[in-house]
Amino acid sequence: MVMNYPERRPEGTPGPPTTVVLFGATGDLSRRKLLPGLLHLLRSGLLPHVQIVGTSLDEHTRDSFVDFVKEALDEFGDDVTDEQWDDFSKRLWWAPGGTPESLRRAVDEAEAECTEPQQRLHYLSVPPKAALAVLETLREADLVERARIIMEKPFGTDLESAKRLNAAVHEVFDEDQVFRIDHFLGKEAALNILAFRFANGLFEPIWHRNMIDHIQIDVPEQLGLEQRAQFYEATGAYRDMVVTHLFQILAFTAMEAPTALDPLSITEEKNKVFRSMLPIEPRDVVRGQYAGYLDEPGVSPESETETFIALKCFVDNWRWAGVPFYLRTGKKLGQGQRIISVAFKEPPKSMFPAGSGIGQHGPDHLTFDLADKSRMSLSFYGKRPGPGFRLEKLSMQFSVDDTDWAGSLLEAYERLILEAVKGNHTLFTTSQGVERLWEVSQPLLDNPPPVRPYAVGSWGPNQIHQLIAPRAWRLPFERKWRGD
């Protein structure tokens, strides 16, 4: 399907007048991220003409919804002045029951005093099974024209379900109206990968199989199910995290230089990466389940759902042929981290004497930290001062917190909402990309390896070391980030 993207508004300019229709407005994601994010976009001047219509299965009036939003902002937002809250609260509306009639009525009321035509952004913060019903509601409410829609993961559970979901979406919305969200791609560090690679003549010439030994994308979590047992039992770590998050980060890391910094060019290069990926072989995958998972409320006592996954995959093109990408994620692990680690090849021959320390601390690494601090580190060997030739591992580090730009950071959901308002698809996935990722996943889904137990607070089953041997996992770090 050819996508006709709207012209992109320059970064930093305000978004157009928009009515945000928030489905699942009283849910956890809305409380923690979406409502505080919308307030921040309003206060920062990036979304100055916004109206917000909330709806969910909870019973509310407009007044009680306003009270709910105030409590959410007090708990999860920044300090708000009385004047700012008064302005924001007047922009909040409620559609009881989420029926087509109540939804249309609430949108009309919200836009009644707007001086310019409002475009609509429908944010579906709802379970995947509810998404199709919401689409039909929007069609019956005649809220499709001048509208864009943000959809939360997962986008199907296999190739066939992804195709059915995309077909159902396309019956109501054109592809260029659809924004499939991945909050990892909204993080500043993810965007820094593009800047780092394509704005610097120093690194792009060595960004290929001749200089890079392997790449790790590692997203361990300390959290457990957090009352999501029903969702997780039907999904598991691979569907929940790898297809929708880690593969997207892989595409940013592996893609060729786009012809321009525009959504269509970047999407084209990401999809080329997906088309070049080899199918995921079960022998290259380790699945795990933390001790005590079967005792969690809502979990089947015979569950084979994985709470941990580690895998090796390949991008089979000229740049990356033979270079393994190691991906790992899981629940209740030793730390909560989000890193991309690029391991460079070691020199083919060493002139340094025995005992100098060369090679004892592994290869040189370039590390991107995808946490909110947005940090990068380049490690290398250097000579220890003094007589003799003793080498030590050193590092150069950068953090946005060390600059005067820190106050300009947008939280990931804030950035993605703003980009969707502007019609910029750069940080979102396409139906074509999603279906290709399920296609390469099919061998694993058809024949998953056994689930291995692992201890809470560990780094996964012991088999992960065999998967990566003779290499080693970067996490846990031997040396902490500077400032930690």
Side-chain angles (χ1 to χ4, degrees):
M1 177 177 296
V2 177
M3 298 174 62
N4 299 313
Y5 293 106
E7 183 179 353
R8 182 187 178 189
R9 290 170 174 259
E11 194 164 289
T13 59
T18 301
T19 298
V20 177
V21 182
L22 188 53
F23 293 86
T26 55
D28 188 63
L29 177 62
S30 179
R31 291 172 58 244
R32 290 176 177 271
K33 297 293 185 181
L34 305 183
L35 292 168
L38 286 166
L39 173 61
H40 183 239
L41 291 173
L42 173 66
R43 291 198 301 177
S44 63
L46 292 172
L47 207 55
H49 306 294
V50 64
Q51 304 292 322
I52 301 165
V53 176
T55 188
S56 76
L57 297 179
D58 293 338
E59 292 187 9
H60 275 288
T61 64
R62 183 183 180 189
D63 289 341
S64 66
F65 178 57
V66 169
D67 292 340
F68 171 88
V69 174
K70 184 64 168 66
E71 292 175 2
L73 297 179
D74 288 343
E75 185 173 0
F76 299 108
D78 297 327
D79 292 335
V80 183
T81 66
D82 291 342
E83 183 180 5
Q84 290 169 340
W85 168 244
D86 183 59
D87 178 44
F88 189 62
S89 64
K90 292 176 180 176
R91 302 169 182 267
L92 300 171
W93 304 80
W94 181 253
T99 65
E101 297 76 19
S102 68
L103 201 61
R104 182 76 225 193
R105 184 165 54 250
V107 169
D108 288 342
E109 291 173 356
E111 297 176 352
E113 297 182 8
C114 296
T115 57
E116 299 181 59
Q118 299 275 115
Q119 71 173 25
R120 285 82 179 244
L121 178 68
H122 306 303
Y123 197 120
L124 273 59
S125 179
V126 298
K129 291 181 179 178
L132 296 182
V134 171
L135 293 172
E136 187 58 33
T137 298
L138 289 171
R139 174 157 55 184
E140 292 181 18
D142 195 21
L143 291 173
V144 175
E145 190 178 356
R146 302 200 325 269
R148 298 181 175 118
I149 182 170
I150 292 181
M151 300 188 68
E152 283 280 349
K153 67 175 179 72
F155 315 114
T157 56
D158 55 20
L159 179 58
E160 288 306 313
S161 62
K163 286 182 175 180
R164 287 196 302 269
L165 176 60
N166 285 328
V169 170
H170 292 153
E171 287 182 5
V172 183
F173 289 92
D174 294 334
E175 178 65 14
D176 61 3
Q177 294 177 280
V178 182
F179 293 77
R180 298 170 186 83
I181 198 167
D182 171 14
H183 71 272
F184 275 45
L185 295 188
K187 293 181 176 295
E188 199 70 42
L191 299 175
N192 245 330
I193 298 170
L194 298 183
F196 196 87
R197 288 187 57 192
F198 301 129
N200 298 292
L202 179 62
F203 287 98
E204 180 55 24
I206 62 172
W207 207 264
H208 55 69
R209 67 185 186 280
N210 293 339
M211 298 296 179
I212 291 177
D213 180 77
H214 71 279
I215 292 175
Q216 296 182 30
I217 301 175
D218 210 350
V219 187
E221 296 181 284
Q222 287 183 305
L223 296 174
L225 297 188
E226 308 300 310
Q227 288 80 50
R228 298 170 71 223
Q230 183 177 5
F231 166 80
Y232 211 79
E233 271 287 271
T235 308
Y238 185 81
R239 291 177 170 91
D240 183 40
M241 290 291 292
V242 177
V243 176
T244 50
H245 291 322
L246 274 61
F247 281 160
Q248 304 300 326
I249 294 295
L250 184 153
F252 264 33
T253 308
M255 63 187 273
E256 298 293 329
T259 55
L261 195 64
D262 63 63
L264 189 59
S265 300
I266 292 175
T267 297
E268 182 180 6
E269 296 305 330
K270 285 170 55 183
N271 284 340
K272 284 182 183 177
V273 173
F274 298 148
R275 290 198 298 271
S276 299
M277 287 179 65
L278 295 177
I280 308 301
E281 297 294 341
R283 65 176 178 270
D284 292 330
V285 177
V286 175
R287 297 168 71 232
Q289 190 182 88
Y290 65 77
Y293 175 76
L294 298 181
D295 299 324
E296 297 275 10
V299 171
S300 167
E302 299 178 353
S303 174
E304 290 290 312
T305 299
E306 80 278 358
T307 63
F308 171 96
I309 190 119
L311 61 95
K312 175 172 62 176
C313 61
F314 295 90
V315 178
D316 193 29
N317 58 20
W318 276 42
R319 182 184 290 267
W320 296 112
V323 176
F325 288 75
Y326 296 100
L327 280 56
R328 176 172 65 169
T329 187
K331 299 288 188 184
K332 292 198 174 184
L333 296 176
Q335 294 178 21
Q337 294 274 359
R338 298 169 178 177
I339 70 157
I340 304 168
S341 184
V342 179
F344 294 99
K345 290 186 175 180
E346 298 189 56
K349 189 174 179 63
S350 174
M351 65 179 183
F352 298 101
S356 65
I358 185 70
Q360 290 184 355
H361 300 285
D364 300 338
H365 284 91
L366 174 64
T367 303
F368 296 88
D369 184 358
L370 298 182
D372 293 336
K373 287 186 176 181
S374 185
R375 301 179 291 191
M376 293 185 292
S377 172
L378 178 62
S379 66
F380 54 92
Y381 285 96
K383 181 185 177 300
R384 180 192 292 179
F389 226 107
R390 182 68 183 173
L391 302 178
E392 292 285 351
K393 206 64 178 288
L394 307 173
S395 69
M396 293 187 294
Q397 296 187 10
F398 160 81
S399 172
V400 167
D401 286 352
D402 297 334
T403 72
D404 56 4
W405 319 328
S408 302
L409 281 175
L410 288 178
E411 197 275 334
Y413 281 99
E414 295 170 3
R415 178 186 301 280
L416 292 167
I417 289 172
L418 182 62
E419 295 301 323
V421 165
K422 293 180 178 181
N424 181 2
H425 282 78
T426 301
L427 304 179
F428 298 87
T429 59
T430 65
S431 59
Q432 181 185 37
V434 166
E435 290 176 12
R436 172 58 185 165
L437 290 176
W438 286 121
E439 186 178 1
V440 301
S441 301
Q442 205 59 50
L444 172 61
L445 300 179
D446 290 341
N447 188 27
V451 172
R452 312 280 186 177
Y454 65 94
V456 171
S458 69
W459 289 90
N462 289 332
Q463 287 79 7
I464 62 171
H465 304 296
Q466 300 166 18
L467 175 69
I468 202 171
R471 305 171 180 93
W473 294 98
R474 288 291 326 275
L475 290 175
F477 286 133
E478 293 182 4
R479 295 177 301 279
K480 291 184 177 181
W481 286 93
R482 193 173 299 139
D484 281 358

